[in-house]
mmCIF file of all heavy atoms in Angstrom:
data_model
loop_
_atom_site.group_PDB
_atom_site.id
_atom_site.type_symbol
_atom_site.label_atom_id
_atom_site.label_comp_id
_atom_site.label_asym_id
_atom_site.label_seq_id
_atom_site.Cartn_x
_atom_site.Cartn_y
_atom_site.Cartn_z
ATOM 1 N N LEU A 45 -12.597 -10.771 13.670
ATOM 2 C CA LEU A 45 -12.745 -9.184 13.613
ATOM 3 C C LEU A 45 -12.885 -8.788 15.042
ATOM 4 O O LEU A 45 -13.625 -9.398 15.869
ATOM 5 C CB LEU A 45 -13.969 -8.877 12.841
ATOM 6 C CG LEU A 45 -13.952 -9.156 11.344
ATOM 7 C CD1 LEU A 45 -15.314 -8.843 10.751
ATOM 8 C CD2 LEU A 45 -12.856 -8.435 10.687
ATOM 9 N N GLY A 46 -12.139 -7.725 15.372
ATOM 10 C CA GLY A 46 -12.263 -7.238 16.676
ATOM 11 C C GLY A 46 -11.178 -6.187 16.942
ATOM 12 O O GLY A 46 -10.409 -5.732 16.077
ATOM 13 N N ASP A 47 -11.033 -5.852 18.218
ATOM 14 C CA ASP A 47 -10.132 -4.808 18.661
ATOM 15 C C ASP A 47 -8.720 -5.394 18.855
ATOM 16 O O ASP A 47 -8.530 -6.292 19.688
ATOM 17 C CB ASP A 47 -10.579 -4.177 20.033
ATOM 18 C CG ASP A 47 -9.707 -3.014 20.490
ATOM 19 O OD1 ASP A 47 -8.626 -2.907 19.963
ATOM 20 O OD2 ASP A 47 -10.225 -2.263 21.346
ATOM 21 N N LEU A 48 -7.705 -4.984 18.109
ATOM 22 C CA LEU A 48 -6.338 -5.634 18.137
ATOM 23 C C LEU A 48 -5.660 -5.294 19.499
ATOM 24 O O LEU A 48 -4.549 -5.793 19.691
ATOM 25 C CB LEU A 48 -5.527 -5.119 16.978
ATOM 26 C CG LEU A 48 -5.600 -6.093 15.689
ATOM 27 C CD1 LEU A 48 -7.025 -6.000 15.081
ATOM 28 C CD2 LEU A 48 -4.579 -5.608 14.626
ATOM 29 N N ARG A 49 -6.347 -4.489 20.282
ATOM 30 C CA ARG A 49 -5.693 -4.262 21.687
ATOM 31 C C ARG A 49 -6.206 -5.224 22.639
ATOM 32 O O ARG A 49 -5.807 -5.144 23.847
ATOM 33 C CB ARG A 49 -5.923 -2.836 22.160
ATOM 34 C CG ARG A 49 -5.004 -1.864 21.275
ATOM 35 C CD ARG A 49 -5.612 -0.395 21.334
ATOM 36 N NE ARG A 49 -7.021 -0.372 21.088
ATOM 37 C CZ ARG A 49 -7.838 0.659 20.922
ATOM 38 N NH1 ARG A 49 -7.270 1.811 21.249
ATOM 39 N NH2 ARG A 49 -9.001 0.629 20.589
ATOM 40 N N ASP A 50 -7.178 -6.128 22.268
ATOM 41 C CA ASP A 50 -7.797 -7.056 23.252
ATOM 42 C C ASP A 50 -6.872 -8.403 23.364
ATOM 43 O O ASP A 50 -6.740 -9.165 22.396
ATOM 44 C CB ASP A 50 -9.119 -7.360 22.657
ATOM 45 C CG ASP A 50 -9.857 -8.480 23.494
ATOM 46 O OD1 ASP A 50 -9.291 -9.001 24.463
ATOM 47 O OD2 ASP A 50 -11.030 -8.858 23.119
ATOM 48 N N PRO A 51 -6.268 -8.529 24.582
ATOM 49 C CA PRO A 51 -5.354 -9.706 24.680
ATOM 50 C C PRO A 51 -6.052 -11.018 24.460
ATOM 51 O O PRO A 51 -5.423 -11.923 23.883
ATOM 52 C CB PRO A 51 -4.821 -9.575 26.117
ATOM 53 C CG PRO A 51 -5.164 -8.113 26.541
ATOM 54 C CD PRO A 51 -6.358 -7.692 25.735
ATOM 55 N N ALA A 52 -7.258 -11.136 24.893
ATOM 56 C CA ALA A 52 -7.964 -12.390 24.747
ATOM 57 C C ALA A 52 -8.178 -12.676 23.235
ATOM 58 O O ALA A 52 -8.009 -13.839 22.812
ATOM 59 C CB ALA A 52 -9.320 -12.404 25.495
ATOM 60 N N LEU A 53 -8.481 -11.717 22.481
ATOM 61 C CA LEU A 53 -8.670 -11.909 21.023
ATOM 62 C C LEU A 53 -7.343 -12.324 20.457
ATOM 63 O O LEU A 53 -7.271 -13.185 19.562
ATOM 64 C CB LEU A 53 -9.288 -10.578 20.439
ATOM 65 C CG LEU A 53 -9.481 -10.727 18.932
ATOM 66 C CD1 LEU A 53 -10.546 -11.769 18.557
ATOM 67 C CD2 LEU A 53 -10.004 -9.324 18.332
ATOM 68 N N LEU A 54 -6.263 -11.569 20.832
ATOM 69 C CA LEU A 54 -4.857 -11.859 20.253
ATOM 70 C C LEU A 54 -4.632 -13.356 20.619
ATOM 71 O O LEU A 54 -3.983 -14.085 19.743
ATOM 72 C CB LEU A 54 -3.867 -11.019 20.853
ATOM 73 C CG LEU A 54 -4.090 -9.496 20.386
ATOM 74 C CD1 LEU A 54 -3.114 -8.563 21.178
ATOM 75 C CD2 LEU A 54 -3.694 -9.346 18.787
ATOM 76 N N ASP A 55 -4.982 -13.802 21.763
ATOM 77 C CA ASP A 55 -4.597 -15.227 22.245
ATOM 78 C C ASP A 55 -5.370 -16.179 21.363
ATOM 79 O O ASP A 55 -4.832 -17.285 20.972
ATOM 80 C CB ASP A 55 -4.933 -15.401 23.754
ATOM 81 C CG ASP A 55 -3.859 -14.803 24.555
ATOM 82 O OD1 ASP A 55 -2.817 -14.447 24.075
ATOM 83 O OD2 ASP A 55 -4.154 -14.528 25.735
ATOM 84 N N ARG A 56 -6.659 -15.833 21.055
ATOM 85 C CA ARG A 56 -7.483 -16.728 20.099
ATOM 86 C C ARG A 56 -6.875 -16.814 18.720
ATOM 87 O O ARG A 56 -6.792 -17.783 18.167
ATOM 88 C CB ARG A 56 -8.851 -16.233 20.071
ATOM 89 C CG ARG A 56 -9.872 -17.155 20.690
ATOM 90 C CD ARG A 56 -11.190 -16.556 20.679
ATOM 91 N NE ARG A 56 -11.849 -16.585 19.282
ATOM 92 C CZ ARG A 56 -12.772 -15.748 18.829
ATOM 93 N NH1 ARG A 56 -13.086 -14.638 19.506
ATOM 94 N NH2 ARG A 56 -13.173 -15.910 17.628
ATOM 95 N N PHE A 57 -6.506 -15.568 18.330
ATOM 96 C CA PHE A 57 -5.857 -15.537 16.989
ATOM 97 C C PHE A 57 -4.604 -16.376 16.808
ATOM 98 O O PHE A 57 -4.376 -17.115 15.786
ATOM 99 C CB PHE A 57 -5.538 -13.999 16.686
ATOM 100 C CG PHE A 57 -4.678 -13.780 15.455
ATOM 101 C CD1 PHE A 57 -5.213 -14.117 14.225
ATOM 102 C CD2 PHE A 57 -3.437 -13.266 15.586
ATOM 103 C CE1 PHE A 57 -4.460 -13.765 13.084
ATOM 104 C CE2 PHE A 57 -2.623 -13.024 14.505
ATOM 105 C CZ PHE A 57 -3.181 -13.292 13.197
ATOM 106 N N VAL A 58 -3.739 -16.353 17.817
ATOM 107 C CA VAL A 58 -2.386 -16.919 17.650
ATOM 108 C C VAL A 58 -2.474 -18.382 17.840
ATOM 109 O O VAL A 58 -1.404 -19.116 17.574
ATOM 110 C CB VAL A 58 -1.407 -16.173 18.537
ATOM 111 C CG1 VAL A 58 -1.527 -16.645 20.110
ATOM 112 C CG2 VAL A 58 0.043 -16.264 17.983
ATOM 113 N N GLN A 59 -3.505 -18.945 18.443
ATOM 114 C CA GLN A 59 -3.607 -20.417 18.762
ATOM 115 C C GLN A 59 -3.296 -21.182 17.610
ATOM 116 O O GLN A 59 -3.932 -21.133 16.454
ATOM 117 C CB GLN A 59 -5.040 -20.613 19.226
ATOM 118 C CG GLN A 59 -5.330 -22.002 19.785
ATOM 119 C CD GLN A 59 -5.043 -21.929 21.319
ATOM 120 O OE1 GLN A 59 -5.255 -20.976 21.987
ATOM 121 N NE2 GLN A 59 -4.404 -22.968 21.834
ATOM 122 N N GLY A 60 -2.245 -22.073 17.633
ATOM 123 C CA GLY A 60 -1.977 -23.015 16.485
ATOM 124 C C GLY A 60 -1.186 -22.380 15.274
ATOM 125 O O GLY A 60 -0.912 -23.112 14.406
ATOM 126 N N LEU A 61 -0.877 -21.150 15.395
ATOM 127 C CA LEU A 61 -0.070 -20.476 14.257
ATOM 128 C C LEU A 61 1.386 -20.815 14.568
ATOM 129 O O LEU A 61 1.882 -20.855 15.671
ATOM 130 C CB LEU A 61 -0.308 -18.944 14.226
ATOM 131 C CG LEU A 61 -1.844 -18.524 13.961
ATOM 132 C CD1 LEU A 61 -1.933 -16.995 13.894
ATOM 133 C CD2 LEU A 61 -2.353 -19.110 12.666
ATOM 134 N N GLU A 62 2.150 -20.742 13.374
ATOM 135 C CA GLU A 62 3.602 -20.926 13.443
ATOM 136 C C GLU A 62 4.301 -19.624 13.183
ATOM 137 O O GLU A 62 5.503 -19.552 13.516
ATOM 138 C CB GLU A 62 3.996 -21.972 12.480
ATOM 139 C CG GLU A 62 3.601 -23.382 12.877
ATOM 140 C CD GLU A 62 3.538 -24.287 11.718
ATOM 141 O OE1 GLU A 62 4.595 -24.796 11.323
ATOM 142 O OE2 GLU A 62 2.421 -24.552 11.155
ATOM 143 N N ALA A 63 3.624 -18.574 12.528
ATOM 144 C CA ALA A 63 4.259 -17.326 12.311
ATOM 145 C C ALA A 63 3.117 -16.283 12.156
ATOM 146 O O ALA A 63 1.974 -16.754 11.790
ATOM 147 C CB ALA A 63 5.191 -17.321 11.234
ATOM 148 N N VAL A 64 3.436 -15.095 12.382
ATOM 149 C CA VAL A 64 2.504 -13.934 12.119
ATOM 150 C C VAL A 64 3.100 -12.918 11.324
ATOM 151 O O VAL A 64 4.446 -12.651 11.500
ATOM 152 C CB VAL A 64 1.946 -13.358 13.455
ATOM 153 C CG1 VAL A 64 1.235 -12.022 13.281
ATOM 154 C CG2 VAL A 64 0.999 -14.378 14.166
ATOM 155 N N THR A 65 2.336 -12.329 10.318
ATOM 156 C CA THR A 65 2.865 -11.118 9.571
ATOM 157 C C THR A 65 1.753 -10.120 9.506
ATOM 158 O O THR A 65 0.722 -10.325 10.101
ATOM 159 C CB THR A 65 3.391 -11.572 8.178
ATOM 160 O OG1 THR A 65 4.046 -10.461 7.614
ATOM 161 C CG2 THR A 65 2.189 -12.011 7.342
ATOM 162 N N TYR A 66 2.032 -8.993 8.951
ATOM 163 C CA TYR A 66 1.006 -7.954 8.843
ATOM 164 C C TYR A 66 0.978 -7.336 7.483
ATOM 165 O O TYR A 66 2.007 -7.364 6.746
ATOM 166 C CB TYR A 66 1.223 -6.800 9.875
ATOM 167 C CG TYR A 66 2.637 -6.374 10.121
ATOM 168 C CD1 TYR A 66 3.131 -5.358 9.389
ATOM 169 C CD2 TYR A 66 3.455 -6.970 11.087
ATOM 170 C CE1 TYR A 66 4.439 -4.924 9.569
ATOM 171 C CE2 TYR A 66 4.707 -6.558 11.309
ATOM 172 C CZ TYR A 66 5.252 -5.547 10.462
ATOM 173 O OH TYR A 66 6.514 -5.096 10.699
ATOM 174 N N GLU A 67 -0.205 -6.807 7.129
ATOM 175 C CA GLU A 67 -0.313 -6.208 5.825
ATOM 176 C C GLU A 67 -0.677 -4.726 5.858
ATOM 177 O O GLU A 67 -0.971 -4.159 4.846
ATOM 178 C CB GLU A 67 -1.349 -6.959 4.991
ATOM 179 C CG GLU A 67 -2.760 -7.068 5.626
ATOM 180 C CD GLU A 67 -3.870 -6.195 4.891
ATOM 181 O OE1 GLU A 67 -4.346 -6.599 3.828
ATOM 182 O OE2 GLU A 67 -4.105 -5.165 5.478
ATOM 183 N N TRP A 68 -0.613 -4.104 7.076
ATOM 184 C CA TRP A 68 -0.841 -2.730 7.133
ATOM 185 C C TRP A 68 0.023 -2.230 8.331
ATOM 186 O O TRP A 68 0.208 -3.013 9.249
ATOM 187 C CB TRP A 68 -2.273 -2.309 7.172
ATOM 188 C CG TRP A 68 -2.966 -1.817 8.364
ATOM 189 C CD1 TRP A 68 -3.254 -0.544 8.646
ATOM 190 C CD2 TRP A 68 -3.478 -2.657 9.499
ATOM 191 N NE1 TRP A 68 -3.974 -0.523 9.893
ATOM 192 C CE2 TRP A 68 -4.062 -1.672 10.392
ATOM 193 C CE3 TRP A 68 -3.480 -3.933 9.807
ATOM 194 C CZ2 TRP A 68 -4.695 -2.107 11.538
ATOM 195 C CZ3 TRP A 68 -4.064 -4.369 11.035
ATOM 196 C CH2 TRP A 68 -4.679 -3.489 11.850
ATOM 197 N N GLU A 69 0.527 -0.969 8.236
ATOM 198 C CA GLU A 69 1.573 -0.561 9.139
ATOM 199 C C GLU A 69 1.049 0.054 10.445
ATOM 200 O O GLU A 69 1.783 0.419 11.311
ATOM 201 C CB GLU A 69 2.582 0.370 8.448
ATOM 202 C CG GLU A 69 2.041 1.624 7.867
ATOM 203 C CD GLU A 69 1.535 1.416 6.459
ATOM 204 O OE1 GLU A 69 0.977 0.387 6.203
ATOM 205 O OE2 GLU A 69 1.660 2.354 5.652
ATOM 206 N N ASN A 70 -0.305 0.260 10.495
ATOM 207 C CA ASN A 70 -0.731 0.962 11.721
ATOM 208 C C ASN A 70 -1.310 -0.108 12.757
ATOM 209 O O ASN A 70 -2.017 0.289 13.619
ATOM 210 C CB ASN A 70 -1.797 2.005 11.311
ATOM 211 C CG ASN A 70 -1.205 3.147 10.574
ATOM 212 O OD1 ASN A 70 -0.043 3.545 10.910
ATOM 213 N ND2 ASN A 70 -1.859 3.660 9.601
ATOM 214 N N VAL A 71 -0.704 -1.299 12.708
ATOM 215 C CA VAL A 71 -0.999 -2.297 13.699
ATOM 216 C C VAL A 71 -0.568 -1.751 15.104
ATOM 217 O O VAL A 71 0.585 -1.201 15.113
ATOM 218 C CB VAL A 71 -0.222 -3.590 13.421
ATOM 219 C CG1 VAL A 71 -0.431 -4.653 14.456
ATOM 220 C CG2 VAL A 71 -0.651 -4.202 12.067
ATOM 221 N N PRO A 72 -1.350 -1.815 16.099
ATOM 222 C CA PRO A 72 -0.872 -1.318 17.391
ATOM 223 C C PRO A 72 0.277 -2.090 17.842
ATOM 224 O O PRO A 72 0.448 -3.363 17.777
ATOM 225 C CB PRO A 72 -2.052 -1.635 18.376
ATOM 226 C CG PRO A 72 -3.179 -1.932 17.527
ATOM 227 C CD PRO A 72 -2.739 -2.373 16.218
ATOM 228 N N ALA A 73 1.378 -1.343 18.206
ATOM 229 C CA ALA A 73 2.697 -1.966 18.725
ATOM 230 C C ALA A 73 2.427 -3.013 19.766
ATOM 231 O O ALA A 73 3.129 -4.004 19.816
ATOM 232 C CB ALA A 73 3.648 -0.865 19.187
ATOM 233 N N ALA A 74 1.507 -2.668 20.684
ATOM 234 C CA ALA A 74 1.202 -3.613 21.827
ATOM 235 C C ALA A 74 0.827 -4.950 21.329
ATOM 236 O O ALA A 74 1.127 -5.987 21.979
ATOM 237 C CB ALA A 74 0.253 -2.993 22.749
ATOM 238 N N ALA A 75 0.102 -4.961 20.199
ATOM 239 C CA ALA A 75 -0.437 -6.221 19.745
ATOM 240 C C ALA A 75 0.785 -7.011 19.206
ATOM 241 O O ALA A 75 0.928 -8.282 19.455
ATOM 242 C CB ALA A 75 -1.351 -6.052 18.441
ATOM 243 N N ILE A 76 1.681 -6.432 18.541
ATOM 244 C CA ILE A 76 2.905 -7.133 18.145
ATOM 245 C C ILE A 76 3.643 -7.680 19.289
ATOM 246 O O ILE A 76 4.108 -8.891 19.360
ATOM 247 C CB ILE A 76 3.847 -6.260 17.260
ATOM 248 C CG1 ILE A 76 3.069 -5.702 16.082
ATOM 249 C CG2 ILE A 76 5.096 -6.921 16.791
ATOM 250 C CD1 ILE A 76 2.736 -6.771 15.023
ATOM 251 N N GLU A 77 3.791 -6.852 20.311
ATOM 252 C CA GLU A 77 4.546 -7.288 21.501
ATOM 253 C C GLU A 77 3.929 -8.498 22.163
ATOM 254 O O GLU A 77 4.546 -9.483 22.563
ATOM 255 C CB GLU A 77 4.736 -6.141 22.523
ATOM 256 C CG GLU A 77 5.676 -5.072 22.115
ATOM 257 C CD GLU A 77 7.099 -5.672 21.806
ATOM 258 O OE1 GLU A 77 7.485 -6.654 22.311
ATOM 259 O OE2 GLU A 77 7.707 -5.034 20.882
ATOM 260 N N HIS A 78 2.622 -8.433 22.206
ATOM 261 C CA HIS A 78 1.805 -9.509 22.808
ATOM 262 C C HIS A 78 2.011 -10.912 22.032
ATOM 263 O O HIS A 78 2.368 -12.009 22.602
ATOM 264 C CB HIS A 78 0.317 -9.143 22.846
ATOM 265 C CG HIS A 78 -0.395 -10.152 23.715
ATOM 266 N ND1 HIS A 78 -0.721 -10.065 25.005
ATOM 267 C CD2 HIS A 78 -1.131 -11.329 23.258
ATOM 268 C CE1 HIS A 78 -1.525 -11.055 25.395
ATOM 269 N NE2 HIS A 78 -1.667 -11.866 24.288
ATOM 270 N N LEU A 79 1.901 -10.809 20.765
ATOM 271 C CA LEU A 79 2.025 -11.999 19.888
ATOM 272 C C LEU A 79 3.424 -12.575 19.837
ATOM 273 O O LEU A 79 3.549 -13.826 19.720
ATOM 274 C CB LEU A 79 1.508 -11.650 18.388
ATOM 275 C CG LEU A 79 0.081 -11.162 18.295
ATOM 276 C CD1 LEU A 79 -0.216 -10.568 16.827
ATOM 277 C CD2 LEU A 79 -0.843 -12.401 18.424
ATOM 278 N N ARG A 80 4.487 -11.669 19.833
ATOM 279 C CA ARG A 80 5.768 -12.183 19.715
ATOM 280 C C ARG A 80 6.253 -13.091 20.892
ATOM 281 O O ARG A 80 7.186 -13.791 20.780
ATOM 282 C CB ARG A 80 6.741 -11.019 19.875
ATOM 283 C CG ARG A 80 6.961 -10.094 18.811
ATOM 284 C CD ARG A 80 7.820 -9.049 19.104
ATOM 285 N NE ARG A 80 9.175 -9.432 19.081
ATOM 286 C CZ ARG A 80 10.116 -8.872 19.830
ATOM 287 N NH1 ARG A 80 9.914 -7.917 20.714
ATOM 288 N NH2 ARG A 80 11.397 -9.290 19.633
ATOM 289 N N ARG A 81 5.455 -12.952 22.036
ATOM 290 C CA ARG A 81 5.795 -13.937 23.144
ATOM 291 C C ARG A 81 5.323 -15.275 22.758
ATOM 292 O O ARG A 81 5.719 -16.231 23.413
ATOM 293 C CB ARG A 81 5.081 -13.415 24.377
ATOM 294 C CG ARG A 81 5.674 -12.093 24.948
ATOM 295 C CD ARG A 81 5.128 -11.762 26.247
ATOM 296 N NE ARG A 81 4.899 -10.307 26.244
ATOM 297 C CZ ARG A 81 3.791 -9.689 26.512
ATOM 298 N NH1 ARG A 81 2.724 -10.443 26.721
ATOM 299 N NH2 ARG A 81 3.749 -8.497 26.496
ATOM 300 N N ARG A 82 4.465 -15.507 21.862
ATOM 301 C CA ARG A 82 3.897 -16.777 21.433
ATOM 302 C C ARG A 82 4.568 -17.338 20.150
ATOM 303 O O ARG A 82 4.795 -18.542 20.088
ATOM 304 C CB ARG A 82 2.446 -16.698 21.268
ATOM 305 C CG ARG A 82 1.731 -16.136 22.573
ATOM 306 C CD ARG A 82 1.567 -17.114 23.705
ATOM 307 N NE ARG A 82 0.603 -18.160 23.302
ATOM 308 C CZ ARG A 82 -0.628 -18.051 23.400
ATOM 309 N NH1 ARG A 82 -1.152 -17.002 23.897
ATOM 310 N NH2 ARG A 82 -1.407 -19.007 23.037
ATOM 311 N N VAL A 83 4.659 -16.514 19.099
ATOM 312 C CA VAL A 83 5.149 -16.950 17.808
ATOM 313 C C VAL A 83 6.117 -15.886 17.126
ATOM 314 O O VAL A 83 6.062 -14.758 17.575
ATOM 315 C CB VAL A 83 4.052 -17.275 16.816
ATOM 316 C CG1 VAL A 83 3.284 -18.383 17.151
ATOM 317 C CG2 VAL A 83 3.194 -15.992 16.575
ATOM 318 N N PRO A 84 6.920 -16.290 16.232
ATOM 319 C CA PRO A 84 7.737 -15.285 15.501
ATOM 320 C C PRO A 84 6.764 -14.326 14.694
ATOM 321 O O PRO A 84 5.804 -14.773 14.154
ATOM 322 C CB PRO A 84 8.617 -16.101 14.520
ATOM 323 C CG PRO A 84 8.566 -17.502 15.025
ATOM 324 C CD PRO A 84 7.267 -17.638 15.795
ATOM 325 N N VAL A 85 7.042 -13.062 14.949
ATOM 326 C CA VAL A 85 6.318 -12.075 14.095
ATOM 327 C C VAL A 85 7.320 -11.469 13.104
ATOM 328 O O VAL A 85 8.309 -10.964 13.489
ATOM 329 C CB VAL A 85 5.685 -10.901 14.983
ATOM 330 C CG1 VAL A 85 4.989 -9.911 14.104
ATOM 331 C CG2 VAL A 85 4.718 -11.464 15.964
ATOM 332 N N ARG A 86 7.049 -11.670 11.865
ATOM 333 C CA ARG A 86 7.901 -11.231 10.750
ATOM 334 C C ARG A 86 7.195 -10.387 9.752
ATOM 335 O O ARG A 86 6.224 -10.852 9.255
ATOM 336 C CB ARG A 86 8.536 -12.442 10.010
ATOM 337 C CG ARG A 86 9.364 -13.293 10.964
ATOM 338 C CD ARG A 86 10.014 -14.492 10.327
ATOM 339 N NE ARG A 86 10.625 -15.334 11.367
ATOM 340 C CZ ARG A 86 10.412 -16.560 11.436
ATOM 341 N NH1 ARG A 86 9.654 -17.336 10.579
ATOM 342 N NH2 ARG A 86 11.009 -17.283 12.444
ATOM 343 N N PRO A 87 7.646 -9.132 9.442
ATOM 344 C CA PRO A 87 8.719 -8.381 10.007
ATOM 345 C C PRO A 87 8.526 -8.108 11.507
ATOM 346 O O PRO A 87 7.336 -8.154 11.966
ATOM 347 C CB PRO A 87 8.842 -7.079 9.213
ATOM 348 C CG PRO A 87 7.926 -7.233 8.044
ATOM 349 C CD PRO A 87 6.936 -8.345 8.449
ATOM 350 N N GLY A 88 9.661 -7.792 12.205
ATOM 351 C CA GLY A 88 9.577 -7.640 13.681
ATOM 352 C C GLY A 88 9.107 -6.203 14.056
ATOM 353 O O GLY A 88 8.851 -5.404 13.203
ATOM 354 N N PRO A 89 9.110 -5.933 15.340
ATOM 355 C CA PRO A 89 8.446 -4.691 15.895
ATOM 356 C C PRO A 89 9.250 -3.468 15.442
ATOM 357 O O PRO A 89 8.735 -2.320 15.442
ATOM 358 C CB PRO A 89 8.458 -4.925 17.339
ATOM 359 C CG PRO A 89 9.428 -5.974 17.667
ATOM 360 C CD PRO A 89 9.455 -6.873 16.453
ATOM 361 N N GLU A 90 10.589 -3.609 15.284
ATOM 362 C CA GLU A 90 11.361 -2.449 14.949
ATOM 363 C C GLU A 90 11.015 -1.859 13.616
ATOM 364 O O GLU A 90 10.909 -0.608 13.518
ATOM 365 C CB GLU A 90 12.843 -2.904 14.937
ATOM 366 C CG GLU A 90 13.848 -1.716 15.039
ATOM 367 C CD GLU A 90 13.756 -0.908 16.220
ATOM 368 O OE1 GLU A 90 12.879 -1.197 17.197
ATOM 369 O OE2 GLU A 90 14.433 0.153 16.219
#
Side-chain angles (χ1 to χ4, degrees):
L45 294 176
D47 186 343
L48 270 66
R49 290 162 304 186
D50 173 1
L53 180 62
L54 292 171
D55 286 341
R56 247 178 76 208
F57 168 67
V58 80
Q59 193 85 38
L61 297 180
E62 288 156 83
V64 165
T65 188
Y66 44 88
E67 57 109 79
W68 105 105
E69 61 270 38
N70 293 325
V71 174
I76 300 291
E77 287 308 329
H78 188 90
L79 293 168
R80 289 176 77 210
R81 288 187 222 120
R82 307 280 293 276
V83 288
V85 177
R86 300 181 184 130
E90 196 58 5

